[in-house]
């Protein structure tokens, strides 16, 4: 059974992905926590609406049972919704901190740069989506590398992230 085709990234593709992600990160961060959260909520909705396609892909490529696949999709959705909530909570407005002498102190959280997300084979959608969602929620851009055994699941997830509204320049897939 052939599930699909995958091509390994060349060194130049990897370099280009990191350069593009580094260039895109400040604009992605500047969108703010609420805008990033809305996109992650869109991603959760897309995962739910592509449920049947994802079940088939995960079952065929990763060899997971249908019940395990359903649980994995649910977990990926939960990760997106959780990190959307955290983006709104921690990255939307400065957090007021008490000042010991009555001064006003604010903590403002921002993205730090480009995150490399490398996922294992055993949860090819949930862990892959979860770590990407966490990095994106915080205002970081991402270069994602899936397990060698499950690149097609990762490619579908990245396509859904882009469809949800993540800029192509802020999220890259390398295999």
């Amino acid at each position: 059974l052939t599930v699909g085709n995958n091509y390994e990234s060349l060194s130049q593709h990897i370099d280009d992905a990191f350069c593009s992600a580094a260039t895109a990160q400040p604009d992605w961060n500047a969108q703010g926590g609420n805008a990033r959260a809305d996109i992650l909520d869109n991603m959760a909705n897309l995962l739910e609406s592509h449920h049947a396609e994802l079940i088939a892909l995960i079952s065929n490529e990763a060899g997971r049972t249908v019940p395990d696949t359903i649980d994995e999709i649910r977990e990926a959705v939960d990760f997106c919704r959780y990190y959307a909530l955290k983006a709104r909570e921690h990255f939307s407005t400065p957090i007021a901190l008490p000042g010991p002498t009555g001064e006003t102190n604010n903590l403002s959280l921002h993205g730090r740069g480009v995150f490399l997300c490398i996922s294992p084979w055993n949860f090819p959608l949930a862990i892959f989506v979860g770590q990407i969602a966490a990095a994106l929620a915080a205002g970081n851009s991402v270069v994602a590398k899936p397990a060698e055994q499950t690149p097609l699941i990762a490619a579908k997830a990245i396509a859904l992230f882009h469809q949800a509204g993540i800029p192509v320049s802020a999220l890259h897939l390398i295999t």
Side-chain angles (χ1 to χ4, degrees), residues 67-80:
D68 285 347
T69 299
I70 292 168
D71 291 344
E72 181 158 356
I73 295 166
R74 184 75 253 152
E75 187 174 358
V77 169
D78 290 347
F79 275 136
C80 290

Side-chain angles (χ1 to χ4, degrees), residues 5-21:
N5 295 306
N6 174 56
Y7 301 95
E8 290 187 15
S9 299
L10 302 173
S11 325
Q12 187 60 50
H13 296 137
I14 296 167
D15 291 344
D16 291 348
F18 275 97
C19 288
S20 176

